[in-house]
Amino acid sequence: MLALGAPAAIAGDDALVVYKSLSPEVALEAAQAALKQCRADGFQVAVAVVDRFGQAQVMLRDRFAGLPAAETATSKAYTALSFHKDTSDLAKSVRSGQMDAGLAQLPHIAMLAGGLVIEAAGTLLGGIGVSGAPGGDKDEACAKAGLEAIRDRIDF
């Protein structure tokens, strides 16, 4: 009898999952701010924002950004989201041997600096990735500018 009653008690509140997500307007605002920062620094880049499920919400590519920039920016955003860690930290972990280098061979994964997790109050909202500046540290600085631009809109 006790075993028959247990599943009903466990299933009660777990039947639905409620989550928060970025609006397209906020995702666009982050991407535009990142692009603006890179332009101010003299770089032609691509910026991607992915939602909490890894799907692209926004992709901006400057006129003279390199051919792989858009795909790489999306992969950086996806990687940060997937591992719930900034890609510069992931790249260091792979180089130091703390993380298996084989993970970098997975589809849509880019263990290169320039991808950041978008989260607020411990809630995962998505990822932002920038590619095309001469160095991942510069890509990351632009991505950080994108996050700063929306910080007051996503803090809850």
Side-chain angles (χ1 to χ4, degrees):
M1 292 288 260
L2 182 59
L4 293 176
I10 293 172
D13 291 334
D14 295 336
L16 297 176
V17 176
V18 178
Y19 63 89
K20 295 187 181 279
S21 63
L22 291 175
S23 70
E25 294 80 11
V26 171
L28 178 60
E29 187 178 332
Q32 287 173 324
L35 184 67
K36 181 179 179 183
Q37 180 64 54
C38 271
R39 280 181 172 174
D41 294 341
F43 311 132
Q44 294 277 308
V45 300
V47 181
V49 176
V50 298
D51 66 15
R52 64 180 292 117
F53 303 109
Q55 296 299 305
Q57 262 191 301
V58 175
M59 161 50 64
L60 298 176
R61 183 184 166 277
D62 219 338
R63 295 172 296 241
F64 302 113
L67 292 176
E71 184 176 338
T72 305
T74 303
S75 292
K76 287 179 181 185
Y78 180 85
T79 302
L81 169 73
S82 297
F83 289 88
H84 200 169
K85 198 167 199 169
D86 298 345
T87 55
S88 59
D89 293 337
L90 292 168
K92 287 176 195 169
S93 294
V94 169
R95 283 194 304 273
S96 71
Q98 293 175 320
M99 183 176 267
D100 189 330
L103 291 171
Q105 304 305 314
L106 293 172
H108 312 293
I109 298 298
M111 298 288 188
L112 304 165
L116 303 176
V117 176
I118 303 173
E119 62 184 337
T123 299
L124 186 61
L125 299 171
I128 184 169
V130 176
S131 181
D137 58 326
K138 294 167 186 68
D139 288 336
E140 186 170 305
C142 296
K144 283 181 180 177
L147 289 184
E148 282 306 310
I150 62 168
R151 182 69 54 209
D152 63 333
R153 308 232 0 237
I154 63 171
D155 280 341
F156 45 86

